[in-house]
Amino acid sequence: MEQYVIKGGTPLSGSVDIGGAKNAALGLLAAAIMTDEDVTIDNLPNVNDVNVLLGAIEDIGATVKRIDEHTVRINGSTIDSLSVDYDYIKKIRASYYLLGALLGKYKKAEVALPGGCAIGARPIDLHLKGFRALGANVDTKYGLVSAEAEALYGSHIYMDKVSVGATINVLMAAALAEGKTIIENAAKEPHVVDVANFLNSMGANIRGAGTDVIRVVGVERLHGTTYSVIPDQIEAGTFMCAAAATHGNVLIRNVIPKHLEATSAKLADAGCIIQEYDDALRVIASDVELRRTTVTTLPYPGFPTDMQPQMTVVLGLANGVSTVTESIFENRFKYVNELARMGGQIQVESNIAIITGTDKYTGARVAAPDLRAGAALVIAGLAASDGVTIVDDIHFIQRGYEAFEEKLRGIGANIERVSGEHEIQKFILKVS
Ligand code: EPZ
């Protein structure tokens, strides 16, 4: 197993380039199989989740050609199976996007039922409700979801909850249904818009993505396209929080500032100076006394739940008492116990974290409980001016962050990826 080892206390400075959005890429890759023509996607993040989904797409017979580290060409004409192996959904839940894509294109699909995960039960009832509304027979037994239809017909679908996954999955199926579909209470995340734009570049007819109401007029078939994934606002937000927590001054490049408005607003509330450019943001926290604020996670354009752990780490160093309310997932504060071992003073009451700012974190050995909490613990280690931090289970972090330690070193962090006790001790000797 590998670990990150970190000697914190250095204010981060310099500039960092942000990659393509993992959560947009996963939807785009699934949608890419909906045509029998070549689809080329670039600015793909080279992260484990993307590579696992590419494996699932190849496994059902699609042709996948890696053009370079961040570009892939997919051709769905060679698909010879409509059943996605359980192994893939076990590794990444987003394999369930192949349900919507295969059902839309072949009117038949079978994918293993995703289980819950560290942050919550994460049911997919809204996905299935949408498929049924489009006329599919959907069965869930033996741990599988099987969906089948003679034909799919447009429908008026109201999402009981705002769901990114359900919006994207239903959008894909509706794109090739007969007639008009309206999705109400749709998710408005940038990656939902990216998938809609991608499908439209393939000949789909989708309007209103990014608003509460998405209107789809089904088409006969989709054609090939070339497309570039939008920048990852969560990777960008993570580096913004790292700059804030270390009192640094960092230019974060290749971003869409509008996608980061909620994160920028909250970091400004906490005392940081945020400078916006066309495709970059600078976070200045040098000589800044971080101050308390309150945060509630909400669907976009509210404060993103995927930024909740990183923001909590920043507020753990702010003067005063802050609160962070997690309104999307029921179990997304597990990392608080690990942060407490670094000196974090956080009390969780139901879905609210009450954070009493402390003057510093101290280095400790901690374990990443999930992707974003793992990144947050790295930020705490970067801020810890006393001691060395060792983060275990970094495979969670590598699911969604490409070259994480290299990018952090590029802005002055003293962090290495090691494998085992001997290398850990070597690092500790080197920095002590
Ligand atoms: C996507 O998950 C992201 N994953 C998550 O990012 C992100 O946290 C989440 O959206 C919210 O922004 C990908 O895009 C691959 P939801 P998703 O459906 O689609 C409930 C990360 O760190 N719900 O918007 O699964 C659900 O339980 C990951 O990159 C239902 O009840 O999230 C949750 O409480 C973590 N029934 C809420 O809705 C359903 O059918 C929002 O979930 C679907 C969802």
Side-chain angles (χ1 to χ4, degrees), residues 22-24 26 49 93-94 96-97 117 119-128 161-166 168 187 189 191 234 298-300 304-306 327-330 332 370-372:
K22 165 184 84 89
N23 291 345
L26 296 173
D49 274 12
R93 305 169 39 77
Y96 59 35
Y97 281 147
C117 76
I119 62 177
R122 305 186 74 181
I124 61 165
D125 55 308
L126 297 176
H127 301 237
L128 308 187
K161 267 185 170 180
V162 174
S163 162
V164 169
I168 290 176
E189 269 70 3
H191 39 296
I234 304 300
L298 288 168
Y300 190 87
T305 176
D306 290 349
S327 74
I328 307 290
F329 291 111
E330 62 269 29
R332 199 162 199 173
D370 61 68
L371 165 58
R372 306 299 175 186

Side-chain angles (χ1 to χ4, degrees), residues 4-42:
Y4 287 138
V5 283
I6 304 159
K7 175 63 185 153
T10 307
L12 298 181
S13 68
S15 58
V16 61
D17 292 333
I18 298 303
K22 165 184 84 89
N23 291 345
L26 296 173
L28 299 179
L29 291 175
I33 62 125
M34 294 181 75
T35 174
D36 285 342
E37 298 177 17
D38 278 351
V39 170
T40 302
I41 298 174
D42 66 27

Side-chain angles (χ1 to χ4, degrees), residues 289-362:
E289 278 274 297
L290 293 171
R291 54 176 184 255
R292 64 158 304 283
T293 184
T294 57
V295 177
T296 298
T297 66
L298 288 168
Y300 190 87
F303 189 88
T305 176
D306 290 349
M307 283 300 306
Q308 179 260 89
Q310 302 91 312
M311 192 70 199
T312 298
V313 165
V314 172
L315 295 176
L317 295 168
N319 290 332
V321 179
S322 302
T323 60
V324 173
T325 302
E326 173 55 60
S327 74
I328 307 290
F329 291 111
E330 62 269 29
N331 189 26
R332 199 162 199 173
F333 284 121
K334 271 179 59 184
Y335 63 92
V336 162
N337 300 327
E338 291 296 275
L339 195 55
R341 299 180 56 246
M342 299 178 72
Q345 295 183 30
I346 304 170
Q347 195 186 335
V348 177
E349 300 290 342
S350 149
N351 67 333
I352 302 175
I354 301 153
I355 306 156
T356 305
T358 174
D359 60 349
K360 67 174 182 177
Y361 292 123
T362 56

Side-chain angles (χ1 to χ4, degrees), residues 156 171 180-183 205-209 213-217:
H156 194 141
L171 193 56
K180 192 170 179 177
T181 295
I182 296 175
I183 304 173
N205 181 342
I206 301 167
R207 297 287 171 269
V213 183
I214 300 179
R215 298 172 193 284
V216 186
V217 178

